[in-house]
Structures are given as structure tokens and as C-alpha cells.
Amino acid sequence: MIAGLGGEILENKVSRVDSCVDLPDVPMETFVKPLLAKHYTCRARGTSFHMSLETINSFAIGKEPLCRIYDKALEQTERNNPEKFAAMVQNRWNGVVPETAARIEWQLRRETLKEFGINTIEDWKEKRTGVFRYLFDWLRFIDAGDREFDRRNPERFPTLPIWETALEAFKHWGGQSDSSVARAKAEKGKASPALLRNMIGGCGMSIIAQTWDHWHGLGNFIDQLVDEFKQWISERDEGEIVREFYLRMCIFRSKVPPKFNRTPNRKAKFISAHEWRQKDRDNQELVREFSGEPNSRKNMDIEFDPRTLELTYERQWDDFNEGGEQ
């Protein structure tokens, strides 16, 4: 269609994936019973239910990712769409109308997909089987039998057989080698170097786009960026730059970054320097290690004076809001 209109696909990005498997003649009670008994393990919190006549006919666990389990046969019956129902029977239920059909559905949004290294459709096709293996370990229903479930040692209990059956169905649909994938979850409060480089490049491009009337070549583009950066430095005192450097170095190397709460005026209210030191003793060692004068009271005041910290971060937060939230 795009080619027919004279267009060309340059790249593709996956923004959301919804994968599902139907289990014909498997009632919802198969999953609701261990759910209510808390015979499951999950790396996320939060569960929501949908009930009808005091019966749970659907529930969801987690958020990113999100697992939704519901009775697909009941849903199709209630919607009264004969054409779609016939397609479901033919294509998903082997031509037989089941009394019930539990559907297991995984919802993955872009941020979660990126944590698996998935950006394009091709990435998803290559890694989806490994992602399914991760998801069925991320959420695992337990077959406790007649024993009391020990949540402190869940590995001592086998997986619910129907959960293993569902995983095999997902792997069969994935059609790829049974490989594993790693989820590189971004650390909150600390932007990665790659993200910061993209921000620098985008800001530099915006500046030059306002001053050039046409493209003058990559060499001139780099020279212009250097000149703009020199201008930024010349407008600041060296002491201010050094203070900002040590402050940010402590934040990015700290295991416990400063936390903040939004106030009505949308500024950031950060914890005091004393609280910071109490939460993360490593910050003091970092300052002593990297500051020019380890025993200088001046350097310590620069890094840990509460008012300096608050004003510095409020300025960063204001700049972020002026640029627009993503």
C-alpha cells in the first residue's frame, strides 16, 4: 500500500505487542483458584479483577509487563458478533465451539520492549520466544497440592502443569530457537550515556537549524557545535562548573540517588544533604576520592550543603519541564 502511494518504508518501531494463547475447555477456575490462594510468584505487584454474578471471569497482574487472563469464549458470546465468533472457532478453536476457553494475554509496551533490546518488528520475531520464557518465569503459578505453600522458598514447589502447557503453546507459536533473553531494566533517576548523547545531539541540531539556511557539511556542523559549547562555558564561572561536575558525579555513581517529590508548583523538592549521607555513605567517599582537596571544608560544603543541592536540582527540573515531558 505504501509503495503504491509512492512511499518508502525507511524504518519501523514497535510501540506495543499483545500476544495471546487460547486454552479451549480450560475453565477460569484453573487460574482463579491458585490466584486467590496466592499460590503464585510474580516480580510485580497489583492485581485487578472483573466479576460477574460473584464469579471472576477475568483478572490482570502487573503493569509493565501486564498479564491478562480471561474467558475468551464467554467474551465472544456476550459481544454477539457472529462473524467474529465463527472466525474464532475456525482459526483458534479447531472448528469446535468450547464451553469455555481461558485466554492468556501478555501486553508489552515500548519501554518494556526496549529493555529486551526490541525496537523493530524484526527484533521481536527474533527474540519473542526468549521473551515468553522470561514472562512465564516473571509470573509463575504454583502447584502446591495439599502442602502449605512457603512463599519464602517457592522454588521448592513445581509449576502448575497448565502454566507449562501455555508456555509451550507460546513457544510453538514463536517459531524460533529456544533461546533466553536478558532484560536490562533502566535504573530510575539516572539517564544512560546513550540517552544523554541523543539529547546533546538533538539540542545541537535544534540550535544550528535556527542559524543555518542550508546544510554546510558535517565538518562545519561539528565545528559549529564546538563553538556553541565554548560559548556555554564562557558564560559560566569555573567554580560553578566544577561544583556541578562533582555533584553529578556523586549522583551517577551513587547506589541511592537523591529522591524528590513533585510540589504544586511542579518543582522538585529534594532530600537534604544530611539525609543523603545517611542513606548512602558512599557519596562521602566519592567526594573525598575525586575532589582536589579531600579534607577541604569548602569542597564538602559545595557538595553537601542542603540549599546548594535544592537550588541546583530545581534548576534542572525547571529546564526539563520547559522542554516538555515525554
Side-chain angles (χ1 to χ4, degrees):
M1 180 182 294
I2 295 177
L5 295 173
E8 180 183 359
I9 299 177
L10 301 179
E11 63 177 355
N12 68 79
K13 291 184 179 180
V14 181
S15 59
R16 172 172 161 176
V17 170
D18 294 85
S19 299
C20 67
V21 159
D22 286 357
L23 302 172
D25 297 319
V26 175
M28 281 294 298
E29 182 66 19
T30 306
F31 298 102
V32 171
K33 185 176 179 180
L35 177 73
L36 297 180
K38 296 186 177 180
H39 290 176
Y40 69 94
T41 61
C42 186
R43 302 179 192 176
R45 297 180 180 180
T47 304
S48 59
F49 302 89
H50 182 271
M51 302 183 66
S52 177
L53 299 177
E54 300 184 354
T55 301
I56 297 176
N57 49 37
S58 72
F59 64 87
I61 299 178
K63 184 176 180 181
E64 293 291 342
L66 180 143
C67 179
R68 186 182 294 111
I69 302 178
Y70 58 100
D71 189 339
K72 188 63 177 180
L74 176 63
E75 180 193 69
Q76 289 300 310
T77 302
E78 292 178 343
R79 289 187 175 181
N80 193 25
N81 187 331
E83 292 80 8
K84 186 174 182 180
F85 187 80
M88 291 289 300
V89 173
Q90 183 64 33
N91 299 318
R92 301 194 67 92
W93 300 334
N94 301 319
V96 179
V97 179
E99 293 184 6
T100 181
R103 168 171 288 193
I104 301 174
E105 184 175 281
W106 292 100
Q107 177 181 291
L108 304 173
R109 296 185 182 275
R110 178 157 179 78
E111 289 304 314
T112 303
L113 291 168
K114 288 168 61 178
E115 292 170 359
F116 288 111
I118 298 173
N119 287 292
T120 65
I121 295 175
E122 292 74 21
D123 293 338
W124 167 246
K125 290 181 178 179
E126 177 184 351
K127 299 181 178 182
R128 59 189 177 189
T129 298
V131 173
F132 294 147
R133 287 179 56 85
Y134 172 90
L135 294 174
F136 276 80
D137 182 63
W138 180 85
L139 171 62
R140 185 170 75 97
F141 284 94
I142 304 297
D143 184 11
D146 297 330
R147 295 184 296 168
E148 182 179 355
F149 179 47
D150 183 3
R151 298 193 65 84
R152 295 174 298 179
N153 299 285
E155 67 280 355
R156 298 179 180 177
F157 295 82
T159 302
L160 194 68
I162 192 63
W163 197 242
E164 294 181 333
T165 300
L167 171 59
E168 292 302 318
F170 270 97
K171 288 163 59 177
H172 177 74
W173 173 80
Q176 300 294 324
S177 61
D178 193 10
S179 59
S180 60
V181 297
R183 184 183 181 187
K185 194 169 184 178
E187 187 175 1
K188 294 182 179 180
K190 298 181 181 180
S192 66
L195 176 60
L196 295 173
R197 282 194 296 269
N198 289 336
M199 293 172 64
I200 292 173
C203 291
M205 184 69 72
S206 297
I207 293 174
I208 296 176
Q210 296 181 52
T211 58
W212 286 8
D213 55 359
H214 65 277
W215 182 249
H216 292 285
L218 186 59
N220 289 328
F221 176 78
I222 295 174
D223 291 339
Q224 182 71 27
L225 285 180
V226 173
D227 291 340
E228 295 292 341
F229 190 66
K230 288 181 178 179
Q231 179 66 25
W232 179 85
I233 293 176
S234 66
E235 296 172 353
R236 283 160 177 78
D237 178 71
E238 183 177 358
E240 177 186 356
I241 296 175
V242 172
R243 180 178 67 243
E244 193 81 8
F245 167 76
Y246 283 125
L247 182 60
R248 291 173 183 261
M249 183 182 62
C250 289
I251 294 169
F252 281 102
R253 300 196 183 193
S254 168
K255 296 180 181 179
V256 183
K259 297 182 179 180
F260 59 84
N261 296 313
R262 290 189 180 183
T263 55
N265 62 1
R266 298 185 62 78
K267 289 188 177 182
K269 183 178 180 182
F270 284 80
I271 63 176
S272 69
H274 175 72
E275 291 175 308
W276 188 9
R277 286 199 300 270
Q278 294 299 320
K279 289 178 178 292
D280 186 5
R281 297 286 182 177
D282 293 341
N283 286 320
Q284 298 182 62
E285 298 300 325
L286 284 169
V287 173
R288 294 191 183 97
E289 180 180 354
F290 293 104
S291 60
E293 303 175 39
N295 298 320
S296 169
R297 178 66 180 171
K298 178 179 179 181
N299 283 335
M300 294 298 292
D301 285 342
I302 289 175
E303 301 306 325
F304 294 111
D305 178 77
R307 192 165 66 177
T308 302
L309 284 172
E310 184 173 345
L311 291 176
T312 299
Y313 281 100
E314 282 191 355
R315 184 177 68 250
Q316 295 175 11
W317 187 250
D318 287 343
D319 291 342
F320 174 82
N321 283 329
E322 289 173 5
E325 296 188 7
Q326 300 295 324

